[in-house]
Amino acid sequence: MANFYSSRLDKKQDEEITQRTVLFGVLTIIILIVTLVFGLPFLVKVSVLLGESKNKNSHQFTEKMMPPLPPRLLLNYDATNSAVINIRGISEPKTNVKLLKNDVLIGQEMTLDSGDFVFDNIILDEGENQFVAIASNEKLGSSELSKMVRINYDNVLPSLIMLNPSEDTLKVDTADFDIIGQSEKDVSVKVNNHYAMVDDTGKFKLKMQLNSGKNDYEMVVRDLAGNEVKKKITITYDF
């Protein structure tokens, strides 16, 4: 019985091999005829066109399936003393960009052919404002959220307390003098256009070499939002 099934299997395999051989022979003859009638360049051109068509269809399918990339918000500051600002960004050309402030939709704009977009006259809340954007296309869907940007709206002047001197005018009998004051964290302090050292608590200090007679100094304290406070003092060096 085993020999019977083995014989039938071998016969079936022989038939399949014969069919493949005949098919291969027929295809070979067809290719030879086409080559003789139209020439080898025609055959190569057909092969190239078939390959380009396949690649084109694959590319189009990929484009249809890919949603827009997340837009990018472009801001070169993270604090301001202005209640109204403009927010610029870049995304894919001719996509609709929606802007959200603190998770609330506040506007939408179409990008230009260059991919640029701008939202004008955005009103800030006091304190921190968080912005994200999302790009969408009717055919391709929506992108993921953009990277969040944070803007702190602060219109309060920084504090300034002079520790040395503690008064506006002072007479001294030595040329070496340390100007010392107290403000807030993350401020910059200039004394007559010379930057003073400011520690993490907002305390600043600058060593000065006094000239004989009156020495006028102006302190300018500026915070990250651009708020400034100024104070003038006069130190008279009389030796």
Side-chain angles (χ1 to χ4, degrees):
M1 182 66 70
N3 292 333
F4 174 75
Y5 285 115
S6 176
S7 176
R8 289 191 60 183
L9 181 61
D10 291 339
K11 185 178 179 180
K12 185 175 181 180
Q13 291 178 345
D14 291 339
E15 291 176 353
E16 291 178 352
I17 293 173
T18 302
Q19 291 175 356
R20 292 175 185 173
T21 304
V22 172
L23 180 60
F24 179 75
V26 172
L27 290 175
T28 303
I29 294 173
I30 292 174
I31 292 173
L32 289 174
I33 294 173
V34 171
T35 303
L36 291 173
V37 175
F38 298 100
L40 183 61
F42 174 80
L43 190 62
V44 173
K45 186 175 181 180
V46 170
S47 178
V48 171
L49 289 175
L50 289 174
E52 289 181 349
S53 176
K54 181 179 179 181
N55 291 335
K56 183 177 180 181
N57 291 336
S58 176
H59 181 66
Q60 290 177 345
F61 178 76
T62 301
E63 284 186 342
K64 289 180 180 179
M65 295 301 294
M66 291 295 292
L69 293 174
R72 182 182 177 189
L73 298 176
L74 304 176
L75 287 169
N76 56 3
Y77 56 89
D78 53 15
T80 180
N81 57 7
S82 176
V84 182
I85 65 171
N86 297 333
I87 297 181
R88 300 180 180 275
I90 188 168
S91 184
E92 295 186 16
K94 297 181 179 179
T95 56
N96 183 48
V97 178
K98 296 179 181 179
L99 183 67
L100 292 84
K101 182 186 76 172
N102 300 331
D103 297 326
V104 178
L105 178 64
I106 59 173
Q108 53 185 324
E109 295 286 344
M110 289 295 297
T111 61
L112 303 176
D113 291 341
S114 61
D116 297 318
F117 62 86
V118 58
F119 290 89
D120 295 319
N121 302 320
I122 301 301
I123 300 175
L124 300 178
D125 300 327
E126 291 186 6
E128 185 179 80
N129 297 259
Q130 299 178 351
F131 292 96
V132 293
I134 184 171
S136 62
N137 183 292
E138 291 184 359
K139 296 181 179 179
L140 305 181
S142 299
S143 71
E144 296 181 357
L145 291 175
S146 69
K147 182 179 179 181
M148 179 183 293
V149 296
R150 294 177 172 86
I151 304 175
N152 187 54
Y153 170 45
D154 175 15
N155 64 350
V156 179
L157 297 178
S159 62
L160 174 58
I161 300 174
M162 294 304 303
L163 303 177
N164 188 45
S166 57
E167 57 268 24
D168 293 344
T169 60
L170 179 68
K171 288 185 178 182
V172 296
D173 56 4
T174 179
D176 295 326
F177 192 86
D178 291 340
I179 294 179
I180 304 173
Q182 180 69 51
S183 184
E184 301 170 359
K185 182 180 179 181
D186 296 328
V187 299
S188 64
V189 179
K190 287 197 298 184
V191 180
N192 285 9
N193 295 321
H194 296 284
Y195 280 98
M197 296 294 295
V198 183
D199 64 20
D200 292 339
T201 67
K203 187 175 182 179
F204 62 88
K205 179 179 180 180
L206 185 64
K207 290 183 175 295
M208 305 300 299
Q209 186 72 25
L210 302 177
N211 297 318
S212 178
K214 289 185 177 181
N215 296 263
D216 295 322
Y217 296 103
E218 182 181 53
M219 270 65 63
V220 180
V221 180
R222 181 184 177 92
D223 63 19
L224 294 176
N227 301 298
E228 285 187 351
V229 62
K230 300 179 180 180
K231 184 175 182 61
K232 293 182 178 181
I233 61 173
T234 299
I235 303 175
T236 302
Y237 170 39
D238 187 8
F239 58 94

